[in-house]
Amino acid sequence: FNSEMKRTWLSLSAFFILVCPLVTHAAKDAILSAVNASIVCNEKLKGKKDARYRGCQVRTKTGRQCQKWSSQSPHKHTMTEKKRPRKGLVGKFCRNPDGH
């Protein structure tokens, strides 16, 4: 498999599992995590104060759960994918988009 074939296979596998009514939510979550990890996750810390980090961690180094970027609760913020494209502001992946 080359990387493009792997992405296609994982996408088709994820689609099948997500639409199959007999698959549990836990199994669906595991498949989605595997697909996300194989396509978009890069756990390498990069940039000023890790501003270019694009991994799939959902907890900070100190164990706090990261907030969904699409949510304004529990913390209000102005960071959105539309306002800050290419900063990886998707899901509730931990990010430091401005490097502060």
Side-chain angles (χ1 to χ4, degrees):
F1 276 162
N2 64 30
S3 61
E4 186 61 33
M5 291 171 65
K6 181 179 177 183
R7 276 196 279 280
T8 301
W9 182 85
L10 287 168
S11 295
L12 291 172
S13 299
F15 175 77
F16 172 76
I17 286 176
L18 292 174
V19 297
C20 180
L22 301 176
V23 178
T24 66
H25 288 291
K28 290 177 184 180
D29 289 345
I31 291 294
L32 284 176
S33 293
V35 169
N36 284 339
S38 68
I39 295 173
V40 297
C41 294
N42 180 348
E43 296 299 327
K44 186 180 269 189
L45 299 176
K46 297 181 194 176
K48 178 184 173 187
K49 294 193 177 181
D50 307 325
R52 292 181 13 232
Y53 167 75
R54 295 298 179 267
C56 291
Q57 300 300 312
V58 294
R59 292 200 175 269
T60 65
K61 292 176 185 177
T62 60
R64 299 180 84 182
Q65 189 170 1
C66 296
Q67 174 178 318
K68 283 186 180 182
W69 289 101
S70 61
S71 176
Q72 293 296 316
S73 176
H75 306 287
K76 292 185 186 244
H77 62 88
T78 59
M79 304 278 186
T80 64
E81 180 66 28
K82 187 174 181 177
K83 288 181 181 178
R84 309 228 183 215
R86 297 180 302 278
K87 295 288 186 174
L89 305 181
V90 295
K92 63 178 185 177
F93 296 135
C94 298
R95 300 285 185 260
N96 184 18
D98 289 335
H100 292 124

